[in-house]
């Protein structure tokens, strides 16, 4: 399943219950259809870049959250339909980060194919500089 990123802006309410329920229902939709939520971050209450009219109301600020998740494309379209109809949602956008691990995580990171010292595994080696070279833009020593 592809990895997606959802950035969602929720309408401001006096209590946090509607926002928490929006996050809960969004994650529940993904998990109930065989997906996995990888990360969830609350970005806080922020001013919108410009006032936005949604569901017959003007919005000037919102609660932002970011979610990384794996799901199938049909579930993604169902999620988009739900967010469009939900009166708690002001704006949202979904980005596809990739389908394969190599597309998502660059080599050399903890999820790549290198060990703790940064040396490549599986018999690969890094080229070493000549012994008479000073690293960091220094002069060559003869």
């Amino acid at each position: 399943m592809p990895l997606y990123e959802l950035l969602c802006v929720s309408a401001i309410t006096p209590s946090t219950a509607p926002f928490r329920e929006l996050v809960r229902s969004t994650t529940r939709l993904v998990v109930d259809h065989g997906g996995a939520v990888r990360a969830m971050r609350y970005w806080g209450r922020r001013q919108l870049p410009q006032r936005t009219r949604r569901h017959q109301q003007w919005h000037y600020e919102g609660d932002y959250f970011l979610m990384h998740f794996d799901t199938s494309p049909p579930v993604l379209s169902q999620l988009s339909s739900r967010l469009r109809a939900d009166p708690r949602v002001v704006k949202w956008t979904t980005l596809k980060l990739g389908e394969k691990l190599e597309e998502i995580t660059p080599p050399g990171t903890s999820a790549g194919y290198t060990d703790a010292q940064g040396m490549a595994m599986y018999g690969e080696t890094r080229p070493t500089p000549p012994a008479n070279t000073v690293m960091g833009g220094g002069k060559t020593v003869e």
Side-chain angles (χ1 to χ4, degrees):
M1 280 190 253
L3 177 68
Y4 295 98
E5 177 180 76
L6 168 72
L7 176 64
C8 186
V9 181
S10 167
I12 299 294
T13 57
S15 73
T16 60
F19 177 75
R20 286 189 313 218
E21 182 54 37
L22 172 65
V23 171
R24 189 176 297 122
S25 65
T26 304
T27 57
R28 181 59 46 202
L29 176 69
V30 171
V31 171
D32 285 348
H33 289 88
V37 176
R38 302 287 176 193
M40 177 71 70
R41 291 189 196 111
Y42 175 64
W43 281 9
R45 186 169 287 185
R46 300 174 180 215
Q47 292 288 326
L48 296 173
Q50 61 189 28
R51 69 182 185 152
T52 302
R53 186 167 175 87
R54 185 81 176 154
H55 299 289
Q56 300 177 352
Q57 292 180 351
W58 286 103
H59 300 276
Y60 299 92
E61 63 180 348
D63 284 319
Y64 285 67
F65 74 90
L66 181 75
M67 182 172 86
H68 289 139
F69 60 99
D70 297 318
T71 193
S72 62
V75 176
L76 184 66
S77 114
Q78 185 178 1
L79 176 65
S80 185
S81 297
R82 280 198 188 177
L83 292 174
R84 182 175 290 109
D86 196 329
R88 299 170 293 193
V89 176
V90 176
K91 289 182 173 241
W92 77 96
T93 187
T94 307
L95 300 173
K96 182 177 178 181
L97 298 179
E99 291 196 34
K100 299 178 183 175
L101 181 63
E102 294 82 23
E103 294 173 358
I104 300 166
T105 307
T109 61
S110 61
Y113 297 108
T114 58
D115 63 4
Q117 288 82 26
M119 297 299 294
M121 295 174 67
Y122 308 112
E124 299 174 18
T125 59
R126 275 192 211 160
T128 56
N132 62 351
T133 303
V134 176
M135 299 300 291
K139 297 179 181 177
T140 302
V141 178
E142 296 294 332

